Amino acid sequence: MSKHVVIVGGGLSGLAAGVDLVSRGIRVTILEQKPALGGRAFSFKDSVTGDTIDNGQHVLIAGYERTMRFLEKIGTREMLRVQRAPSLLFHHPQRGFQEFRLPLLPTPFNLLVGILRCHLFSFLDRLRLLRAGLSLRSVDEVKEKSLATMTILEWLKSAGQSDEVIRSLWEPLAVSMMNERIHKASAHVFVQALRKAFLGGSRNAALAIPTVGLSELYVDGARRFITLRGGELRLNADAIEVMADDEHATGVRLRDGTSVAGDAVILTIPPNKLLPLLPSRLIEQFSYLDSFEFTPIVSVHMWFTEEFMQHEFVGLIGRRVQWLFNKRKINDETGKGAHVSAVISGANEFVGMTKEELVNIAVEDIRSLYDGLQEEPRHAVVVREKSATYSSSPGIEAQRPSSRTGITNLFLAGDWVATGYPATIEGAIVSAERAAQLAVSSISSGIAQ
């Protein structure tokens, strides 16, 4: 009889762990509390227009190796369009549209040439930016320790970055990657992410843009992969307790009174929902998770009668909206007029606003780029992801737990687990595959009977 792993949570981490395990011939049961899979990576059809709406525009970078392998495995890799060379388009209030492009040259020459050619900044600011970019290459133990206690803003100031460079490049990048404001977010994890993107190869920083909804990209293929290999996906399955004896976890109990036995258990749920499920002897160990804070993302989807946006996406400098996505171009939609998605990350001050207020903010910011837009949107949908990611402050970063729990066959996964990445798709998959490997090792060693 094959060994069996119970996975609590059907978001991206749970699905990635399931895919990894069934690939190894391990039987899995995924328990999802909600009536649909995907967690925060989902999409749905708008009832008015029929267009696909994502709960967020999860643009990837080509350097996310685990994510690319995961999509290849589940058969959806071709649903990403990867830039030939890394390129970001911004709109500056005074300088207008400006592109930051890295040529296909060996590192660090790509960074050197890309910065010097970018007219988003003055020449002096380009030299300052180059100094910060090249400093990413040096790994000094003392500096690494100091980074662990610094915010991104503190690090940028220590690296000699001017207010204009911070506002025009670093802040849009950081808020998008970390989903937190730079005066609060951890410098250490941000710097690690920058190294992965800009120093890992000339194409690592290229954007990989989904051409379909997030559910089609991540969920549907994973569901097929798991079920075709004998895995079970149970929706509306509300786990309330990890069952354990003196030595190891034995399964999961559900709210309806039933239970699911397993040779190992992986919990892929948010940290604020973890404590009630844990065996009593782990409660004190993980009690600090109650202090984790979360940061929202707000997406404003709007439809206009006339097309006004020529680009696939653009970063907005000095506005409330950070990124604007042209869904007609990205998803090859056939509808008439414009369909755009305005994204506000680190949206604590916006998430409580009314739909009308958020639409007005988005339209006002869009008109600062495209002054020919005179009409109001004919339709709008606001998506508030109130607990989109954990708040990546230095204090919380230091507390992110490993995948191990102290019970030999009970493991954690999720973008909030210690992975070395911010709360990204890549971090979620890295943690899932790590937990899956630990589960296999515990089964193979005979610890889990």
Side-chain angles (χ1 to χ4, degrees):
M1 180 177 176
S2 64
K3 295 296 184 179
H4 180 219
V5 175
V6 182
I7 301 170
V8 180
L12 185 58
S13 290
L15 293 172
V19 165
D20 188 279
L21 288 164
V22 297
S23 299
R24 303 167 184 260
I26 304 293
R27 188 166 60 91
V28 303
T29 297
I30 296 180
L31 305 173
E32 169 54 45
Q33 181 187 39
K34 297 178 181 178
L37 298 168
R40 288 161 289 151
F42 73 93
S43 51
F44 57 94
K45 291 288 185 183
D46 176 52
S47 60
V48 174
T49 65
D51 289 330
T52 297
I53 295 179
D54 292 324
N55 71 324
Q57 183 66 36
H58 292 222
V59 171
L60 307 172
I61 63 169
Y64 282 175
E65 299 169 358
R66 300 286 190 91
T67 304
M68 296 301 176
R69 287 206 300 265
F70 170 74
L71 295 177
E72 190 75 39
K73 184 179 287 188
I74 66 173
T76 60
R77 170 64 179 78
E78 72 278 2
M79 296 176 182
L80 285 177
R81 182 168 59 250
V82 181
Q83 293 176 326
R84 183 178 178 273
S87 174
L88 291 171
L89 181 68
F90 294 99
H91 186 278
H92 190 281
Q94 286 77 46
R95 298 189 177 98
F97 289 101
Q98 297 287 340
E99 185 180 31
F100 179 51
R101 175 182 289 271
L102 297 183
L104 294 177
L105 296 171
T107 304
F109 300 106
N110 60 335
L111 200 58
L112 172 65
V113 174
I115 290 173
L116 292 178
R117 285 180 177 175
C118 182
H119 296 287
L120 186 60
F121 322 103
S122 68
F123 184 73
L124 182 58
D125 276 342
R126 276 179 261 177
L127 294 180
R128 293 188 179 106
L129 181 58
L130 187 62
R131 171 189 169 190
L134 294 178
S135 73
L136 297 175
R137 301 187 70 205
S138 60
V139 181
D140 178 90
E141 186 175 348
V142 175
K143 289 183 179 179
E144 292 295 305
K145 286 184 178 180
S146 66
L147 276 177
T149 63
M150 297 171 71
T151 65
I152 295 173
L153 182 59
E154 289 170 340
W155 171 68
L156 291 172
K157 289 295 187 181
S158 72
Q161 302 302 284
S162 70
D163 291 341
E164 178 61 21
V165 171
I166 292 172
R167 182 178 78 120
S168 298
L169 180 65
W170 291 117
E171 188 167 23
L173 279 180
V175 174
S176 300
M177 293 171 68
M178 306 290 288
N179 190 36
E180 185 57 275
R181 301 293 171 170
I182 60 174
H183 68 273
K184 188 174 181 181
S186 164
H188 187 249
V189 177
F190 179 59
V191 167
Q192 298 223 84
L194 290 175
R195 287 171 177 157
K196 180 69 175 178
F198 294 106
L199 301 180
S202 61
R203 294 193 73 235
N204 266 23
L207 296 185
I209 305 169
T211 60
V212 297
L214 297 181
S215 291
E216 189 174 352
L217 181 66
Y218 294 112
V219 179
D220 297 345
R223 180 196 292 113
R224 288 192 298 270
F225 190 95
I226 292 167
T227 55
L228 285 172
R229 288 157 182 81
E232 183 182 5
L233 299 160
R234 295 177 59 179
L235 303 178
N236 299 304
D238 189 6
I240 61 170
E241 179 188 6
V242 173
M243 302 181 298
D245 58 24
D246 291 338
E247 297 182 1
H248 56 271
T250 58
V252 175
R253 182 173 288 111
L254 305 179
R255 191 169 299 280
D256 63 9
T258 63
S259 60
V260 183
D263 300 291
V265 175
I266 300 176
L267 302 177
T268 71
I269 56 179
N272 58 329
K273 296 183 179 180
L274 185 69
L275 290 182
L277 271 71
L278 292 178
S280 57
R281 65 179 178 273
L282 294 181
I283 297 297
E284 184 176 352
Q285 176 186 342
F286 290 101
S287 61
Y288 68 91
L289 293 178
D290 274 346
S291 66
F292 268 40
E293 298 177 355
F294 297 87
T295 311
I297 295 176
V298 172
S299 302
V300 184
H301 300 264
M302 292 163 291
W303 289 259
F304 297 85
T305 302
E306 300 296 329
E307 178 63 80
F308 61 87
M309 186 176 177
Q310 300 79 39
H311 315 99
E312 285 193 341
F313 62 91
V314 60
L316 283 66
I317 295 171
R319 280 81 157 197
R320 294 150 296 186
V321 169
Q322 291 111 13
W323 292 94
L324 184 66
F325 296 92
N326 185 336
K327 303 296 287 187
R328 290 279 186 257
K329 287 184 177 293
I330 291 173
N331 289 0
D332 294 325
E333 294 177 351
T334 57
K336 294 181 180 180
H339 172 200
V340 300
S341 173
V343 178
I344 305 176
S345 299
N348 286 301
E349 64 183 285
F350 300 97
V351 71
M353 291 183 177
T354 66
K355 174 183 175 181
E356 182 181 23
E357 289 171 329
L358 290 167
V359 171
N360 287 340
I361 285 172
V363 171
E364 184 177 326
D365 281 357
I366 292 171
R367 284 178 177 151
S368 69
L369 280 69
Y370 303 102
D371 55 13
L373 176 64
Q374 299 299 319
E375 64 171 308
E376 297 297 322
R378 59 183 174 86
H379 177 54
V381 175
V382 172
V383 179
R384 297 174 178 85
E385 193 68 46
K386 294 183 178 180
S387 299
T389 66
Y390 71 93
S391 176
S392 55
S393 65
I396 288 181
E397 286 297 336
Q399 292 182 310
R400 292 170 72 181
S402 72
S403 294
R404 298 181 185 273
T405 64
I407 291 181
T408 52
N409 64 335
L410 175 63
F411 309 103
L412 306 177
D415 59 12
W416 57 276
V417 172
T419 60
Y421 289 90
T424 58
I425 296 290
E426 183 78 352
I429 293 176
V430 166
S431 75
E433 293 180 350
R434 185 178 297 165
Q437 176 59 56
L438 290 170
V440 171
S441 297
S442 73
I443 292 171
S444 300
S445 66
I447 293 175
Q449 301 296 326

